[in-house]
Amino acid sequence: TDEPKALGDRGAEIASGKDFIMHVGKSNVIKGFDQGVLGMHVGGSRTLVIPPDQAYGDAGTEKVPPKMIVQVEVQVTKIAK
């Protein structure tokens, strides 16, 4: 089927509590993540529910199957200027 898929009620955890640096608008993360953090401030948090076409699409990754909806909990801890 060509419908997006989800993993169970909570999905599969692929990373937890790992800090990383991203540059908004520089395409160093999946498109849905890049778009989902726009407008956030230090201390802010969001749950992003990213459809496959904004995540890993038909290809998937080693840890994310093809056509998977990706849900990410995001908290901004620092913004560089």
Side-chain angles (χ1 to χ4, degrees):
T1 177
D2 288 337
E3 292 296 312
K5 301 174 187 174
L7 292 174
D9 293 335
R10 296 260 318 143
E13 190 170 288
I14 58 173
S16 177
K18 294 184 180 185
D19 292 343
F20 72 95
I21 297 170
M22 66 172 284
H23 302 277
V24 176
K26 301 291 184 181
S27 299
N28 68 325
V29 293
I30 59 175
K31 186 181 277 188
F33 196 93
D34 207 20
Q35 294 173 353
V37 299
L38 290 176
M40 291 186 72
H41 301 281
V42 173
S45 62
R46 285 185 184 160
T47 300
L48 306 179
V49 179
I50 305 169
D53 65 323
Q54 299 288 306
Y56 300 102
D58 292 340
T61 70
E62 182 179 316
K63 295 183 178 183
V64 180
K67 299 180 183 175
M68 192 62 59
I69 297 167
V70 175
Q71 180 172 322
V72 183
E73 305 288 330
V74 178
Q75 181 177 20
V76 176
T77 57
K78 181 178 179 181
I79 298 176
K81 296 182 181 195

